[in-house]
Amino acid sequence: MTMTRRGTDATRALQALGDSSATVRLRAALAVGTTPDPCFVDKLVERCAIEPEFFVRDMLTWALVRHPVSLTLPELLREARSERPQARSQALHTLSKIGDRRAWPAITPALLADADDEVARSAWRAAVVLVPEGEEPALAVELAKQLARGERGTQLSLSQALFALGESAAPALHTATTAPDPGVRAHALATEHLLREPDAGFEAAIEEAKRVVALTGTPGADDEHHADR
């Protein structure tokens, strides 16, 4: 009878994950995570791809983390290759929370440069958690290719990812400070500033970097001018 009741409770919880009420879905995700069961994994992953509310998605991720990695990892790796941006983003977010480095091969350059900002941001966060020891400088090079991308929030996320790599990011950032694009130079300078002064705010750092770039002009421009003469 206990097994029958448990099965009934599981069925109800799974059904509630698709309820029209966000509050009901949140409670269902909490219930599923509180009493993990292999039968929940597929539904949790499936719901992550379509759940419209952030706070419910966060609970879905928590519920997945509560399940064995042997069950969740294959499903999440598949979702990271999904055609749906939210599926990719949420899978990457969950992989970062699980923190199992066997997921590292899924963090491809294509995901780090994904056309969808939310997917890219999730990929950056997952990458700095999952990167194997010794591969941080190569990751920093890939991340630096995204400097000056998107709105301020996206740029902050990238700076935070580079900051998380510490000194391993320094060479890539130094190279980027001489890039032709003034936006890239400013973003690189601001991130370097944060590496030196972790307590500095990003807004202040990026505005100061923009002023520096505006005053110094394009690197090499003076040399080219003299060469033409």
Side-chain angles (χ1 to χ4, degrees):
M1 185 169 177
T2 301
M3 291 296 292
T4 302
R5 180 176 178 180
R6 183 177 180 183
T8 301
D9 290 345
T11 299
R12 288 175 178 169
L14 290 173
Q15 291 174 341
L17 288 174
D19 194 273
S20 60
S21 167
T23 301
V24 172
R25 297 197 304 274
L26 181 68
R27 290 172 179 167
L30 175 61
V32 167
T34 302
T35 55
D37 189 298
C39 73
F40 294 144
V41 172
D42 287 350
K43 185 65 175 181
L44 287 169
V45 172
E46 177 185 318
R47 187 66 204 176
C48 281
I50 58 175
E51 171 56 50
E53 298 293 342
F54 170 79
F55 62 93
V56 179
R57 292 199 302 272
D58 215 35
M59 188 64 77
L60 291 168
T61 285
W62 173 80
L64 280 166
V65 172
R66 295 267 298 163
H67 286 76
V69 177
S70 60
L71 299 177
T72 58
L73 191 59
E75 297 294 323
L76 293 169
L77 292 177
R78 188 190 70 247
E79 283 292 280
R81 300 189 298 271
S82 172
E83 293 182 357
R84 291 182 292 188
Q86 183 172 307
R88 298 197 300 276
S89 177
Q90 198 64 24
L92 289 165
H93 173 66
T94 307
L95 288 170
S96 74
K97 295 300 182 182
I98 292 173
D100 192 308
R101 286 185 169 176
R102 287 176 295 178
W104 169 247
I107 312 299
T108 62
L111 279 176
L112 295 173
D114 198 282
D116 186 281
D117 283 346
E118 285 304 314
V119 176
R121 290 169 69 168
S122 293
W124 302 339
R125 289 190 289 266
V128 298
V129 171
L130 301 173
V131 61
E133 185 176 353
E135 295 195 34
E136 294 91 347
L139 173 58
V141 170
E142 289 297 323
L143 292 178
K145 294 176 183 178
Q146 303 302 309
L147 286 165
R149 170 180 174 161
E151 301 297 329
R152 193 59 57 88
T154 299
Q155 293 181 12
L156 173 59
S157 290
L158 182 61
S159 290
Q160 289 172 332
L162 287 161
F163 176 82
L165 294 176
E167 287 304 310
S168 295
L173 286 171
H174 180 70
T175 298
T177 61
T178 62
D181 186 329
V184 171
R185 296 202 304 278
H187 196 179
L189 286 169
T191 307
E192 280 190 330
H193 183 69
L194 292 177
L195 282 175
R196 293 191 303 269
E197 299 182 34
D199 293 331
F202 181 72
E203 287 292 331
I206 194 72
E207 292 303 323
E208 175 61 23
K210 286 180 178 179
R211 285 193 289 271
V212 170
V213 168
L215 289 171
T216 57
T218 304
D222 289 341
D223 292 340
E224 291 177 9
H225 175 70
H226 290 307
D228 290 340
R229 292 177 61 188

